[in-house]
Amino acid sequence: MALLQIAEPGQSQAPHQHKLAIGIDLGTTHSLVATMQSGLPRVLPAEDGSLLLPSVVRYLADGAVVVGEAARQAAASDALNTLVSVKRFMGRGLEAAHQLGDQLPYELVMHDNGMPYFNTIAGLKSPVEASAEILNVLRVRAEAALGGDITGAVITVPAYFDEAQRQATKDAATLAGLKVLRLLNEPTAAAVAYGLDQQHEGIHAIYDLGGGTFDISILRLHQGVFEVLATGGDSALGGDDFDHAIASWIMAGAGIVNPDAEIQRRLLQTSRRVKEALSTRESVPLSLAAGTGGAPADWQATLTREHFEALIAARVDDTLKACRRALRDAGLKPADLSEVVLVGGSTRVPLVRRRVAEFFGKPALDHLDPDQVVAVGAAVQANILVGNKPDSDLLLLDVIPLSLGLETYGGLVEKVVPRNTTIPVARAQEFTTFKDGQTAMSLHVLQGEREMVSDCRSLARFELQGIPPMVAGAARIRVLFQVDADGLLSVSAEETTSGVRAEIVVKPSWGLQDDDILRLLRESQAAAVQDMQARALAEARAEAERLWIATEAALAQQGELLSASELAELQAAVQGLKALAIADDAAAITAAAEALNHASETFAARRMDAGIRQAFTGKTLTDFEEH
Amino acid sequence: MNLNTDYFSLFGLPVVFELDANALQPVWRALQQQHHPDRAPADDPVAQRQALQMTSHINAAYDTLRDPVRRARYLLELVGQGGDAERVSVMDTDFLMAQMELRESLEEAAAVHELDAIEAEAQDWLDALLREFPLDYVAQDWPEATDCLRKMQFMTRLLAEIREQRERLEDELDDF
């Protein structure tokens, strides 16, 4: 029955040609890369053997970038230039980014393109650029381990990521020089890893609580087909929030107000360790000396597991609400599920495990490393997508997490593709003109479940022009939404009686156009030069100031060592340097400083002689030898 | 098979209202296995585009066939009777009264258990309409079939609203 002839992916290749494909879990807290070797998944280690790359990016003054553990260790001491949990900012506007918490130790700047940028010592950096740095390290790691160029990568995203967040992730991968085979939802990837481990048929719930995102996916697994029945979650809820809860508790207890960036980071790092300790211990003692972190007095307290659980109970309940909604969307009851699988580091928290087991009425599975399953699942799919396993039955059928729609009259949203629709999907909706003789129609594409435009995420606006003038209501505008297998949307509109068309691939307002990515690469190099110049000037000024202050102090102390003309010459050099320091010429300032250094050589020599004479006075040779 | 193949033929079914909903899923899976973009070469944009369009068509067919109201609407579209269902309003006053009463009780419902009764009544209405539709359709009584479809769409919307209300109430209650 096939009219379309579609070649099997493997057919055109030589039988033994194995293409290098990787799966990347780009996580909030840490990231991993995995591949398939001899039919088995393997998480690729760094040179030091570590598998998890902390998702931390530090920008240095000289433009160098440090990623991973070394950057993580500087997170507190160099908070403003060290970006942690950058995934939480992906594809989000400035307002949404600020909603992530009032304790963000960053300087966020609104860019012209509507995206928030981090103001670092190396210039403005977008979340996409920072993520690209992480992906780049993983790409290099994979190339070194596999000994060749990577054909393509499957990058995982939270199932609940919206269009803008997905697009931002894809842009980051492109920026890192990776060919993206597919954006794969994290819970689906985890299900693949589990399905691969044991041939489990039936309906499964994947509860994935990471550092900064939460997903719940309900999947049916049947003969290699993973069909997502429903998904839900919160792309700004994760273990980070537990850390913040503990940090707030410490701040309240110790009386810390308005902590600076470094103190915030240290508090969060401490909170994180306390959280991890409470997974195995019943209580953790804490103490803070007066003055540390701005604490007004000595403070000692014990955080019990029970109290910690009370602090985070509401957030855990939020995850269960999302579970209930997903089950309802799938038309299922907890009893219909064969298994519940725990994914993500934050499922190590005992309260999470207990509540999930209670809600679903069955113990949760966690026999695979919750940190690694997502990368492993991504590697399995990458291997298939590059054509290394042409006879595989594995097929992943995912859904869109949030409804897609259009703005209609009165600021209302008309849903065109409801949430949990299997992708790829194409849906058309007809609209008509509102006024007599109307020749253009403005289309506003939105994502979300709410009825009002203002409550949904604005994805794109475009215009259909050249509609032949007709009476109101006579034109037939057919708007087609097409969502591809990555969950990315394109929208086209056509006036069907005349055939006038307009089309747009939805690049959310704060996403990057392909041209932008190239421009960004060039600009970031230019900006680095500019930043270097600014830094050179600041350094020259600081050095000049240090020099004239030292000279003036020495003159006040020991000016009598100089003759009148020598003194005048030196004072002139100081004034010359002070005058130049106001100008923006780093080279001139440095030259004037050199001149002052030169002019003070005689003075310095005489001071040294005088100093040595003074030191010898009243001391015997023996005293000196003993020293 | 191509993008113009009707949904029933795509799934190898006769063009009738009644079908075995459980039989759809294996066919859908098999169609996906054959036509999904993952089955086309990753570096062939033409094959990828064709696969995207074909699977979108298959998914649209599956979504339409497995939902009885969407299926009814599609059957009327196939015989050129689909357009009126959106534009003409229901004239049956008994139905309209019943609908309004259900909506009123929905607005007043403050507890989850109150929703159960409203939902059951709306579901009864829908079930009765689903029994009526195939009779009208087989008799080719298009005005009656269209009227029946409009009523089904009313009830479907109402059921969706009941569901949303239930979600809101449950989220407020925080009971797990």
Side-chain angles (χ1 to χ4, degrees):
Chain A
M1 64 181 177
L3 283 179
L4 292 171
Q5 293 190 332
I6 297 172
E8 291 289 328
Q11 276 176 357
S12 55
Q13 295 163 30
H16 297 297
Q17 187 186 356
H18 184 87
K19 289 185 179 174
L20 301 181
I22 52 174
I24 292 181
D25 174 2
L26 180 62
T28 308
T29 317
H30 48 242
S31 302
L32 301 87
V33 56
T35 193
M36 293 298 284
Q37 282 181 326
S38 319
L40 289 172
R42 183 176 159 231
V43 178
L44 300 173
E47 272 176 26
D48 65 0
S50 61
L51 299 177
L52 272 53
L53 176 73
S55 301
V56 184
V57 180
R58 183 186 181 199
Y59 291 97
L60 302 179
D62 60 4
V65 183
V66 182
V67 178
E69 185 54 34
R72 199 178 68 82
Q73 282 171 8
S77 58
D78 189 21
L80 288 179
N81 303 310
T82 309
L83 311 181
V84 302
S85 298
V86 74
K87 186 176 179 178
R88 305 190 85 167
F89 297 87
M90 289 292 272
R92 298 180 79 93
L94 189 62
E95 251 176 60
H98 276 307
Q99 279 167 7
L100 290 177
D102 44 8
Q103 302 174 358
L104 294 173
Y106 301 115
E107 234 176 89
L108 283 173
V109 178
M110 187 66 160
H111 194 271
D112 297 341
N113 63 11
M115 280 167 78
Y117 275 59
F118 302 102
N119 194 6
T120 74
I121 195 165
L124 295 182
K125 299 293 172 186
S126 72
V128 170
E129 289 169 90
S131 297
E133 297 290 355
I134 297 167
L135 290 170
N136 198 42
V137 169
L138 294 175
R139 177 179 60 80
V140 170
R141 179 189 287 188
E143 282 170 354
L146 304 177
D149 286 343
I150 305 301
T151 304
V154 168
I155 317 271
T156 61
V157 289
Y160 213 61
F161 254 21
D162 66 20
E163 274 286 319
Q165 292 167 310
R166 282 167 200 271
Q167 191 62 58
T169 306
K170 199 169 186 182
D171 289 346
T174 309
L175 204 53
L178 285 167
K179 174 174 165 46
V180 180
L181 297 166
R182 177 65 35 84
L183 295 178
L184 175 60
N185 288 336
E186 287 161 10
T188 310
V192 170
Y194 268 89
L196 185 84
D197 183 52
Q198 300 169 16
Q199 278 300 323
H200 295 226
E201 302 266 298
I203 299 172
H204 311 273
I206 312 286
Y207 180 101
D208 180 358
L209 189 61
T213 57
F214 167 66
D215 282 328
I216 174 71
S217 282
I218 315 289
L219 294 103
R220 180 173 15 225
L221 174 49
H222 184 77
Q223 291 173 355
V225 179
F226 289 70
E227 180 198 350
V228 178
L229 300 173
T231 195
D234 188 336
S235 59
L237 168 60
D240 281 6
D241 295 291
F242 300 168
D243 301 346
H244 279 282
I246 297 177
S248 299
W249 176 80
I250 295 174
M251 282 169 60
I256 299 169
V257 282
N258 297 325
D260 65 20
E262 181 178 345
I263 292 171
Q264 285 177 38
R265 274 284 165 71
R266 289 202 190 285
L267 273 170
L268 288 173
Q269 285 176 348
T270 304
S271 301
R272 187 188 165 127
R273 281 195 297 274
V274 170
K275 172 187 75 179
E276 288 170 1
L278 285 172
S279 290
T280 49
R281 290 167 56 180
E282 282 303 319
S283 66
V284 173
L286 283 153
S287 66
L288 216 64
T292 348
D298 284 358
W299 175 75
Q300 286 192 324
T302 297
L303 184 60
T304 61
R305 188 189 284 174
E306 195 183 351
H307 194 148
F308 168 58
E309 293 183 346
L311 292 176
I312 63 167
R315 302 319 312 266
V316 176
D317 278 358
D318 286 343
T319 70
L320 299 181
K321 281 179 196 171
C323 292
R324 185 165 62 190
R325 198 168 306 131
L327 272 178
R328 185 172 296 133
D329 283 353
L332 297 168
K333 303 227 164 343
D336 298 328
L337 300 177
S338 354
E339 285 173 352
V340 182
V341 176
L342 295 179
V343 184
S346 301
T347 58
R348 293 193 175 96
V349 173
L351 178 71
V352 171
R353 311 173 70 86
R354 205 166 67 231
R355 300 288 278 131
V356 170
E358 274 168 20
F359 176 80
F360 289 103
K362 45 184 68 75
L365 286 187
D366 63 346
H367 58 271
L368 295 183
D369 184 331
D371 287 327
Q372 295 184 18
V373 280
V374 169
V376 165
V380 172
Q381 204 204 9
N383 195 45
I384 290 169
L385 291 182
V386 291
N388 285 339
K389 273 189 88 181
D391 52 349
S392 168
D393 279 340
L394 183 88
L395 185 65
L396 311 182
L397 303 173
D398 231 305
V399 299
I400 58 162
L402 294 155
S403 303
L404 294 162
L406 281 171
E407 175 170 356
T408 60
Y409 190 65
L412 293 172
V413 182
E414 170 83 13
K415 282 178 190 155
V416 179
V417 190
R419 71 170 189 245
N420 290 320
T421 300
T422 304
I423 52 174
V425 61
R427 283 282 165 85
Q429 191 103 337
E430 272 205 353
F431 294 87
T432 189
T433 44
F434 175 65
K435 282 183 193 157
D436 287 343
Q438 188 176 338
T439 58
M441 184 177 252
S442 167
L443 295 154
H444 186 193
V445 183
L446 296 132
Q447 187 162 32
E449 306 312 313
R450 308 280 295 275
E451 284 175 12
M452 299 299 296
V453 166
S454 51
D455 295 325
C456 288
R457 180 91 194 248
S458 169
L459 292 180
R461 291 172 188 274
F462 72 112
E463 222 169 67
L464 176 66
Q465 286 174 330
I467 302 170
M470 290 177 242
V471 292
R476 290 276 165 271
I477 318 295
R478 186 171 179 272
V479 183
L480 180 73
F481 279 52
Q482 172 78 63
V483 182
D484 68 15
D486 287 327
L488 295 174
L489 172 70
S490 56
V491 181
S492 62
E494 184 180 11
E495 202 290 302
T496 50
T497 61
S498 65
V500 177
R501 282 182 64 82
E503 198 158 350
I504 187 172
V505 174
V506 171
K507 283 276 188 171
S509 333
W510 34 75
L512 302 172
Q513 303 296 323
D514 290 339
D515 292 351
D516 279 349
I517 293 180
L518 284 175
R519 186 179 47 75
L520 196 66
L521 281 169
R522 283 195 300 269
E523 269 178 9
S524 64
Q525 283 154 3
V529 170
Q530 230 171 42
D531 292 346
M532 262 160 61
Q533 286 167 347
R535 206 159 42 242
L537 181 63
E539 282 167 6
R541 275 187 187 142
E543 177 60 20
E545 196 180 341
R546 191 194 60 75
L547 193 59
W548 81 60
I549 289 172
T551 309
E552 283 176 338
L555 283 173
Q557 246 179 356
Q558 293 176 299
E560 73 278 359
L561 293 173
L562 293 175
S563 71
S565 66
E566 283 169 339
L567 185 64
E569 194 196 334
L570 199 51
Q571 280 170 337
V574 169
Q575 292 314 315
L577 179 58
K578 280 185 176 177
L580 272 173
I582 303 164
D584 283 344
D585 188 343
I589 298 171
T590 306
E594 281 298 314
L596 175 57
N597 254 331
H598 186 71
S600 63
E601 269 171 12
T602 315
F603 184 42
R606 287 196 195 146
R607 289 180 65 217
M608 197 175 289
D609 288 348
I612 291 168
R613 274 197 304 275
Q614 227 172 19
F616 274 101
T617 311
K619 286 188 178 173
T620 68
L621 200 60
T622 357
D623 287 336
F624 266 89
E625 278 171 348
E626 279 174 8
H627 279 85
Chain B
M1 182 176 65
N2 59 41
L3 296 174
N4 295 320
T5 308
D6 78 77
Y7 295 163
F8 290 94
S9 309
L10 189 63
F11 275 70
L13 295 166
V15 184
V16 293
F17 180 74
E18 294 90 347
L19 56 72
D20 176 7
N22 291 326
L24 290 172
Q25 211 206 358
V27 183
W28 176 65
R29 262 200 304 264
L31 287 168
Q32 285 286 358
Q33 279 285 19
Q34 192 182 353
H35 297 283
H36 196 274
D38 286 5
R39 294 282 176 264
D43 51 5
D44 182 345
V46 176
Q48 281 292 326
R49 175 142 197 92
Q50 286 174 339
L52 175 69
Q53 289 175 342
M54 198 63 215
T55 35
S56 296
H57 186 63
I58 292 164
N59 282 332
Y62 184 46
D63 283 341
T64 303
L65 294 181
R66 66 178 159 160
D67 180 276
V69 179
R70 281 201 285 267
R71 187 163 72 231
R73 187 190 160 92
Y74 182 67
L75 280 171
L76 290 183
E77 274 171 22
L78 284 180
V79 292
Q81 300 289 331
D84 286 347
E86 287 293 300
R87 278 164 225 153
V88 185
S89 55
V90 172
M91 298 305 288
D92 180 342
T93 44
D94 284 351
F95 178 83
L96 288 175
M97 284 301 291
Q99 230 246 143
M100 271 159 59
E101 276 166 24
L102 279 169
R103 275 182 190 283
E104 271 170 29
S105 15
L106 175 61
E107 273 170 35
E108 287 159 13
V112 175
H113 68 88
E114 292 173 44
L115 293 176
D116 295 343
I118 305 168
E119 187 168 22
E121 198 181 335
Q123 190 63 53
D124 283 348
W125 270 101
L126 184 59
D127 290 345
L129 291 162
L130 287 171
R131 283 190 297 272
E132 186 201 321
F133 181 81
L135 305 176
D136 298 336
Y137 177 76
V138 170
Q140 301 194 3
D141 186 344
W142 306 133
E144 275 300 312
T146 308
D147 185 62
C148 185
L149 172 62
R150 279 195 293 264
K151 290 175 181 172
M152 288 196 280
Q153 287 173 338
F154 264 111
M155 280 303 159
T156 308
R157 270 196 292 273
L158 182 64
L159 282 163
E161 283 166 35
I162 294 170
R163 215 187 99 150
E164 278 169 25
Q165 176 76 353
R166 185 185 293 275
E167 241 164 56
R168 268 195 297 275
L169 287 174
E170 282 185 351
D171 280 356
E172 281 165 20
L173 278 173
D174 276 352
D175 62 328
F176 289 104

